[in-house]
């Protein structure tokens, strides 16, 4: 393959404001054995990048690095040992870092084909958000039809997918969000609660006097105790972030360690309730093949749900990669519903 195009990437040089992101240019990578090179069509701005630029994502690489938690694109070239049938195929990948680039070399075993008829931008909204929502709902909480669940941040990136997947599973859904999102949530079939009202717990208790069967909490901090107390006997709390501590100073690991400590204590209590701290990367280090098989299976389920219309892609904005600073500002503003997507 002749490289007539160049690679564009966005580099996070250190703890900077969004305007401190740097645009670098260089040659398009060539795939080594077992790799594919993907021409990026869509990559997202997620909460992880917002934490990374503050140096507060608990296992981020040392600066400088290219952020970008996931991406969707077309396979441009394949390395030795990779089926040529992948050439020209649209694929998705969970990357943690590196996605904010026009071209990226990935292990072929880490890419998942996107079904025909699903656009790159729509698929992108469902990669990290979809896999997180699916695994929390079906692998951790194991929500069944007829159960009642509480989703904090029901209009957020993960939250909006979570409520739709929970409804598709036949659950009753209560969702916290600011009032401007309530009509949209009601239209989906969600019972909305204003998280700023100061009486979230009382409202949940009035709707589910015996407690809820699952709580999905991305806020963390001390509010996690309130989430635990809302569980019915046999219920599950799934914590998957610490948004409450995003702007704190100091170690990014400390809020996570505190959460893990609480989870450990709660799981030792003899009351039949369960608590989890969800990490989408769990198991990758020591069981890579199983991790990849699970990711492929679950992401395929998410894409099928997208095809069937059980979840709808919510795109807040499509912004060119070179304007990543603007995209990050928008994602951090708290004013948008859905995902801010970067395109080539």
């Amino acid at each position: 393959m002749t490289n007539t195009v160049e690679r564009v990437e966005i580099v996070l040089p250190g703890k900077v404001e969004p305007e401190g992101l740097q645009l670098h240019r260089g040659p398009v990578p060539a795939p080594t054995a077992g790799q594919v090179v993907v021409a990026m069509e869509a990559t997202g701005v997620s909460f992880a990048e917002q934490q990374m630029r503050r140096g507060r994502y608990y296992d981020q690489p040392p600066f400088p690095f290219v952020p970008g938690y996931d991406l969707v694109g077309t396979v441009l070239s394949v390395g030795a040992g990779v089926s040529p049938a992948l050439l020209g195929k649209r694929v998705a990948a969970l990357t943690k870092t590196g996605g904010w680039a026009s071209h990226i070399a990935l292990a072929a075993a880490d890419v998942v084909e996107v079904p025909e008829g699903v656009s790159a931008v729509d698929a992108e909204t469902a990669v990290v958000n979809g896999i997180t929502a699916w695994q929390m709902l079906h692998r951790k909480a194991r929500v069944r039809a007829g159960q009642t669940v509480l989703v904090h941040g029901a209009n957020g990136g993960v939250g909006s997918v979570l409520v739709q997947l929970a409804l598709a599973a036949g659950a009753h859904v209560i969702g916290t969000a600011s009032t401007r999102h309530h009509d949209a949530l009601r239209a989906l079939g969600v019972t909305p609660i204003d998280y700023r009202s100061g009486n979230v717990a009382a409202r949940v208790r009035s709707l589910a006097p015996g407690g809820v069967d699952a709580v999905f909490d991305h806020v963390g901090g001390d509010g996690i105790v309130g989430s635990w107390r809302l569980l019915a006997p046999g219920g599950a709390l799934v914590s998957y972030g610490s948004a409450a501590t995003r702007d704190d100073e100091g170690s990014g690991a400390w809020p996570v360690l505190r959460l893990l400590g609480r989870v450990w204590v709660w799981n030792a209590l003899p009351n039949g309730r369960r608590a989890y701290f969800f990490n989408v990367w769990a198991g990758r280090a020591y069981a890579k093949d199983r991790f990849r098989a699970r990711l492929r299976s679950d992401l395929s389920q998410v894409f099928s749900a997208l095809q069937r219309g059980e979840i709808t892609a919510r795109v807040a904005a499509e912004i060119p990669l070179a304007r990543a600073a603007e995209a990050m500002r928008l994602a951090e503003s708290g004013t948008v519903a859905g995902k801010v997507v970067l395109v080539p």
Side-chain angles (χ1 to χ4, degrees):
M1 190 188 83
T2 54
N3 291 337
T4 52
V5 290
E6 60 180 355
R7 179 179 193 259
V8 176
E9 64 181 20
I10 301 297
V11 174
L12 184 57
K15 291 186 194 178
V16 293
E17 291 300 304
E19 291 70 26
L21 291 165
Q22 298 171 356
L23 188 146
H24 292 186
R25 297 178 189 275
V28 172
T32 58
Q35 284 190 329
V36 294
V37 169
V38 175
M40 184 271 287
E41 293 178 89
T43 181
V45 184
S46 65
F47 185 69
E49 288 93 27
Q50 299 174 34
Q51 288 180 302
M52 285 177 189
R53 81 163 182 85
R54 294 166 168 83
R56 292 192 55 79
Y57 190 79
Y58 67 98
D59 62 349
Q60 69 188 69
F63 296 115
F65 63 90
V66 176
Y69 213 87
D70 59 358
L71 78 147
V72 174
T74 301
V75 176
L76 208 58
S77 56
V78 300
V82 179
S83 167
L86 268 177
L87 284 167
K89 287 278 197 318
R90 177 170 285 158
V91 296
L94 203 56
T95 52
K96 191 184 283 187
T97 59
W100 289 8
S102 61
H103 302 81
I104 182 169
L106 298 164
D110 286 332
V111 302
V112 179
E113 281 193 44
V114 176
E116 292 285 327
V118 178
S119 76
V121 169
D122 285 0
E124 164 54 32
T125 67
V127 183
V128 67
N129 292 347
I131 201 80
T132 299
W134 181 273
Q135 292 186 344
M136 290 196 302
L137 191 74
H138 292 295
R139 291 192 180 271
K140 294 298 182 190
R142 302 195 173 174
V143 168
R144 301 183 305 279
Q147 291 188 324
T148 300
V149 305
L150 170 64
V151 177
H152 286 295
N155 66 294
V158 174
S160 58
V161 181
L162 197 45
V163 299
Q164 293 178 86
L165 287 174
L167 290 164
H172 306 290
V173 182
I174 303 166
T176 69
S178 57
T179 49
R180 68 176 177 275
H181 299 297
H182 285 195
D183 286 346
L185 287 169
R186 278 191 201 96
L188 287 173
V190 176
T191 304
I193 295 177
D194 179 10
Y195 72 91
R196 291 194 181 96
S197 65
N199 64 349
V200 170
R203 283 282 293 123
V204 174
R205 287 251 174 255
S206 70
L207 293 164
V212 294
D213 298 294
V215 181
F216 300 94
D217 187 313
H218 70 301
V219 183
D222 293 330
I224 198 82
V225 178
S227 289
W228 173 254
R229 288 177 180 154
L230 288 169
L231 287 179
L237 165 65
V238 188
S239 165
Y240 65 102
S242 52
T245 62
R246 184 190 76 177
D247 295 324
D248 291 2
E249 294 300 318
S251 163
W254 175 237
V256 174
L257 293 172
R258 270 188 81 192
L259 273 172
L260 287 170
R262 279 178 164 146
V263 164
W264 185 85
V265 170
W266 285 334
N267 283 333
L269 298 174
N271 58 17
R273 299 178 197 161
R274 315 182 307 285
Y276 301 98
F277 181 74
F278 179 81
N279 171 14
V280 75
W281 299 100
R284 191 176 199 276
Y286 54 85
K288 193 172 270 190
D289 289 345
R290 204 166 83 213
F291 172 87
R292 283 168 163 164
R294 196 171 59 208
L295 182 76
R296 181 168 285 108
S297 161
D298 294 350
L299 192 50
S300 297
Q301 296 265 26
V302 171
F303 286 150
S304 295
L306 194 59
Q307 271 185 309
R308 290 193 299 268
E310 289 173 2
I311 57 175
T312 51
R314 297 177 70 206
V315 181
E318 290 178 42
I319 295 173
L321 182 64
R323 285 161 48 199
E326 182 186 325
M328 188 167 261
R329 279 273 177 228
L330 182 63
E332 291 193 12
S333 70
T335 61
V336 295
K339 185 139 191 179
V340 176
V341 177
L342 291 167
V343 294

